[in-house]
């Protein structure tokens, strides 16, 4: 594994998450190209063939769409909010075990935390409570 691969994986993960939150703010072409590139792992050449454009045009479209996604995130902060909420649920679970209370009460709190986490994760995963579902 080269030094660039972890960075590429982190960037792909981030772009996929940003797409989950902000895809409806992109043009249809931007959304499709980013989906092909980041989710379907198409090469620049494969995307160029699909759209009958040059590889350079695909690259330029990807860079513009990435910039748009990052701009939306810098203004709206949905991804950072999502990540913060998930970190807080982990912290709650860790600290819950140190609190002196009835085991049944702890279990009830753990279930509530798990439900909150599931709801937050499904908000970007396409379920009934997803951002995509709410947009429709």
């Amino acid at each position: 594994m080269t030094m660039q691969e972890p960075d590429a994986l982190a960037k792909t993960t981030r772009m996929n998450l940003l797409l989950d939150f902000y895809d409806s703010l992109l043009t249809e072409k931007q959304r499709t190209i980013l989906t092909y590139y980041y989710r379907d792992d198409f090469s620049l050449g494969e995307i160029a063939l699909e759209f009958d454009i040059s590889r350079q045009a695909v690259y330029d479209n990807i860079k513009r769409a990435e910039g748009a996604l990052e701009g939306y995130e810098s203004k709206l902060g949905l991804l950072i909010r999502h990540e913060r909420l998930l970190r807080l649920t982990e912290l709650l679970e860790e600290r819950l075990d140190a609190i002196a209370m009835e085991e049944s009460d702890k279990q009830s709190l753990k279930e509530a935390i798990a439900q909150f986490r599931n709801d937050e994760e499904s908000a970007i995963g396409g379920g009934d409570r997803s951002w995509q579902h709410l947009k429709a």
Side-chain angles (χ1 to χ4, degrees):
M1 185 178 282
T2 67
M3 291 296 286
Q4 293 178 350
E5 287 179 24
D7 291 339
L9 180 59
K11 181 177 182 180
T12 297
T13 301
R14 179 173 175 78
M15 285 297 128
N16 278 313
L17 287 168
L18 290 174
L19 269 171
D20 286 338
F21 283 105
Y22 304 114
D23 70 336
S24 66
L25 300 176
L26 298 173
T27 67
E28 183 64 34
K29 186 175 184 180
Q30 287 175 322
R31 185 172 33 256
T32 302
I33 287 175
L34 286 183
T35 297
Y36 283 169
Y37 190 70
Y38 283 110
R39 293 196 175 142
D40 300 334
D41 201 26
F42 281 31
S43 69
L44 295 179
E46 290 169 323
I47 298 169
L49 284 173
E50 184 73 25
F51 284 91
D52 195 28
I53 58 177
S54 70
R55 289 178 46 157
Q56 185 62 46
V58 172
Y59 178 81
D60 292 343
N61 273 284
I62 290 170
K63 290 301 169 191
R64 276 193 301 276
E66 288 172 349
L69 289 175
E70 291 292 355
Y72 299 139
E73 175 60 15
S74 72
K75 288 176 179 77
L76 301 172
L78 297 178
L79 177 58
I80 199 155
R81 177 191 170 275
H82 168 75
E83 290 172 339
R84 186 178 67 244
L85 287 172
L86 292 180
R87 278 194 309 274
L88 288 172
T89 59
E90 290 173 9
L91 184 61
L92 281 170
E93 285 178 327
E94 290 171 8
R95 292 189 177 175
L96 188 58
D97 289 327
I99 297 173
M101 64 170 40
E102 294 292 323
E103 195 57 41
S104 62
D105 292 336
K106 279 186 185 182
Q107 188 58 38
S108 293
L109 284 172
K110 286 181 181 183
E111 289 170 7
I113 292 167
Q115 182 62 51
F116 177 81
R117 180 185 298 111
N118 288 338
D119 288 351
E120 182 63 23
E121 288 173 346
S122 72
I124 63 167
D128 285 346
R129 295 175 181 240
S130 71
W131 301 110
Q132 290 83 3
H133 179 76
L134 296 173
K135 290 185 277 188

